[in-house]
Amino acid sequence: YFALILAARAVTVLAQGDTAAAAAVAALWLLPAVLLALGNIVLLAWLTSKTTVYTITDQRVVMRVGIVLTVTFNLPFSRIESAAVQRGKGPHGDIALALAGPDRIAYLHLWPHARPWRLKKTEPMLRSIEDVAAVSRLLADAWSQARGIAVPVGAAAAPRRHEPATLPVTSGSRRPQGLSTATQ
């Protein structure tokens, strides 16, 4: 994106009849602003990774997110319909949680911990998990025990890259609890 902006500036200067050297100088004047914007994006990503805590208990997934204002999302297993695992390079990956029932969390409240392009029915996403295969097995075991069902063999196995794996969907006999959020 920023390379296109720099190129557009250079092309505009060339189209006005200036020399290639003048076009390069005009584009270079924008370079500090580009570097500042990229630095801010890197800083935001680093702060987000350092302040985010995902916790899987025997009854729920808790997402503690936020840099300045910490928000805690409490996602009981009775309200999680399925989970999709997406592996990245190496052992890293993401786990998206599809919520059951009418409960919704606003996309902007979850961002950047929301599954992309799921705007109408947002899905919380555990991002950049270091050992996604182990965490997905842990999540599948805890989810199935909380719901009192057996997970079929291989359902929680880590998929190949870009192939989502989902937990089995069943209707539990427990009365569902609502989603809750709390701020600290």
Side-chain angles (χ1 to χ4, degrees):
Y1 173 76
F2 291 117
L4 287 175
I5 290 174
L6 294 174
R9 177 65 181 148
V11 168
T12 302
V13 171
L14 286 173
Q16 292 174 349
D18 283 334
T19 65
V25 169
L28 287 177
W29 274 104
L30 291 176
L31 194 57
V34 167
L35 293 176
L36 180 65
L38 290 174
N40 283 336
I41 291 169
V42 169
L43 178 63
L44 178 65
W46 181 79
L47 288 171
T48 300
S49 72
K50 292 300 178 189
T51 60
T52 298
V53 178
Y54 303 125
T55 306
I56 299 172
T57 71
D58 61 343
Q59 295 295 315
R60 67 193 75 251
V61 174
V62 180
M63 299 172 64
R64 192 169 144 242
V65 300
I67 296 170
V68 176
L69 176 63
T70 303
V71 178
T72 302
F73 295 102
N74 176 24
L75 308 170
F77 286 133
S78 61
R79 304 304 294 164
I80 297 175
E81 186 174 281
S82 66
V85 178
Q86 181 152 4
R87 291 195 51 169
K89 293 180 180 178
H92 294 81
D94 302 326
I95 301 174
L97 305 172
L99 303 177
D103 293 325
R104 302 282 187 268
I105 301 173
Y107 190 87
L108 289 177
H109 289 154
L110 281 173
W111 186 89
H113 309 279
R115 188 171 182 180
W117 312 115
R118 304 295 168 113
L119 300 176
K120 187 173 182 183
K121 187 173 180 184
T122 57
E123 295 182 11
M125 193 167 202
L126 310 180
R127 294 261 186 197
S128 299
I129 305 297
E130 285 187 23
D131 188 359
V132 74
V135 174
S136 67
R137 282 190 298 275
L138 177 72
L139 178 62
D141 290 344
W143 182 84
S144 62
Q145 286 177 5
R147 287 194 161 208
I149 60 171
V151 176
V153 176
R160 285 177 277 150
R161 187 180 164 129
H162 301 297
E163 287 185 20
T166 57
L167 298 174
V169 178
T170 61
S171 57
S173 58
R174 291 182 171 172
R175 184 171 173 249
Q177 300 171 348
L179 298 176
S180 65
T181 62
T183 58
Q184 295 181 351

